[in-house]
Amino acid sequence: PAAAPPPPPDGVVALVDAIRARGGDPPAEDEAWRVPCALWNVRRGESGEAAAARLVDDTAIVDAIVADDVALPLAASPRGVAGTLVVHKAAGAAAAAGESLEKVAAAARAASDAVKTMGAAYEVCTLPGRPPSGRLGSDEVELGLGIHGEPGAARAPTMTASELAAHLVSKVCPRLPKASGPVALIINDLGAATPMELAIFGAACVRAVEAKGYVVSRILTGALMTALDMHGVSLSVAALDDALTKALDAPCRSPAMQTGAFKKHEADEAPLVAPDAAAIADAMPPAVKGDLEDSDRAATVAKAAAQAVLAAEAELTALDEKVGDGDCGTTLAQGATAILAAVDAGL
């Protein structure tokens, strides 16, 4: 917006000065240092070069605008959110390889065009020095919110991980520059999601993206682009070509990310270890009427045991809350439900 202040120059100036002081003269073949960095608040409508002129004298700076957010499809200037990571990775890899400033910028712009993102939160962030906003109910999820805690594009009843993944994929994938082919995912923790939640959500995202006809080739996951203590996640999908794949695979070292992207296992099945033949060579003994090899009696006993477990679920949970982590009743009830389903199916 026109009223936005110019980007604060101190950090960028200090960065360039520190690099000059440490490294001496710039490379002769390029006559410029290549330093990917973010100017968050550059005013739209003003060129990156014009903004840079206010920041660092005698320093060539080119721009690459990141606009990966798809939450507001009619927005004239979409926000840059977690897709910024792909752009920085591409620019950083090009800079580390000694490419010219123009080629670094081209890599960043190509990455920006390739990636789209949308996020969701079950609890929004708490701004420093302020009480929790309380704008979300315990049964609500906010969709398409910004990484600074801006309100989302919509609210909806709480979703499961699979439902949320399917919703985000339905918004993100149609905005990609390709309708199929290899893609990279960023499964991003917005601040307070647990590793288990992120793993479950990530697996659901892989399934949902591949159901759209894409092949998930690379995955970045973790607390990579956070919003303080926001309990939420975001999904970024980047259409890959050879150059962007190579950039994602390039090593890096930063507080949030220490390596390149994880490669998704591409075989049809994970390798299995065959059991020792001696352990399974003995034939099963014949069934004896009246013992548990009698299938009818075994089914009756199994159903009775499973029903007893289901009836005791609340009591088991209450006991486990006193001495453990409170999931005993739920875990046993899931197993009992599976047993009942198997018996009813005649298995």
Side-chain angles (χ1 to χ4, degrees):
D10 295 349
V12 177
V13 172
L15 173 63
V16 173
D17 286 346
I19 292 174
R20 283 173 167 165
R22 182 175 180 178
D25 294 331
E29 78 280 2
D30 192 305
E31 293 302 322
W33 291 107
R34 297 165 295 276
V35 184
C37 58
L39 301 180
W40 179 262
N41 224 7
V42 171
R43 292 176 292 196
R44 292 297 175 88
E46 176 183 41
S47 72
E49 290 84 353
R54 299 196 312 270
L55 302 179
V56 186
D57 292 334
D58 301 324
T59 300
I61 298 180
V62 294
D63 68 325
I65 293 175
V66 184
D68 57 308
D69 184 26
V70 302
L72 302 170
L74 300 180
S77 300
R79 298 171 293 195
V81 283
T84 305
L85 296 162
V86 175
V87 177
H88 275 236
K89 196 73 167 64
E99 299 289 357
S100 68
L101 186 62
E102 290 71 22
K103 289 185 178 180
V104 172
R109 291 170 187 147
S112 180
D113 291 340
V115 63
K116 300 299 176 186
T117 301
M118 186 168 171
Y122 292 88
E123 295 178 15
V124 300
C125 63
T126 305
L127 298 179
R130 298 185 186 180
S133 70
R135 76 171 186 244
L136 278 180
S138 60
D139 59 348
E140 289 183 307
V141 59
E142 194 160 62
L143 303 167
L145 70 177
I147 56 174
H148 294 280
E150 309 97 308
R155 295 182 189 176
T158 298
M159 301 179 185
T160 66
S162 293
E163 291 168 343
L164 180 59
H167 179 81
L168 297 183
V169 167
S170 74
K171 301 296 184 182
V172 171
C173 285
R175 302 289 297 278
L176 293 174
K178 299 178 182 179
S180 62
V183 294
L185 306 187
I186 299 177
I187 310 298
N188 180 50
D189 167 18
L190 285 169
T194 66
M196 181 182 292
E197 288 171 325
L198 206 62
I200 294 171
F201 171 69
C205 286
V206 171
R207 293 192 297 269
V209 169
E210 293 197 330
K212 294 290 186 182
Y214 296 93
V215 177
V216 176
S217 177
R218 300 291 188 274
I219 301 173
L220 291 165
T221 184
L224 302 172
M225 177 71 76
T226 59
L228 300 174
D229 60 344
M230 184 180 291
H231 190 181
V233 292
S234 67
L235 168 66
S236 301
V237 185
L240 292 177
D241 57 16
D242 291 344
L244 188 52
T245 301
K246 183 178 179 180
L248 290 178
D249 287 346
C252 68
R253 186 178 63 185
S254 69
M257 186 165 57
Q258 300 294 326
T259 63
F262 292 109
K263 295 183 180 180
K264 182 175 177 288
H265 184 70
E266 296 179 355
D268 292 335
E269 295 183 0
L272 298 177
V273 178
D276 187 341
I280 58 174
D282 294 339
M284 290 291 292
V288 177
K289 189 69 174 178
D291 68 14
L292 289 182
E293 293 298 331
D294 176 357
S295 59
D296 291 337
R297 184 175 177 224
T300 300
V301 171
K303 289 184 69 172
Q307 289 165 348
V309 169
L310 290 175
E313 177 183 356
E315 181 181 3
L316 291 169
T317 296
L319 291 171
D320 194 34
E321 287 174 346
K322 293 180 173 61
V323 298
D325 55 4
D327 67 348
C328 182
T330 302
T331 302
L332 293 178
Q334 290 175 340
T337 300
I339 290 172
L340 289 174
V343 171
D344 290 341
L347 300 179

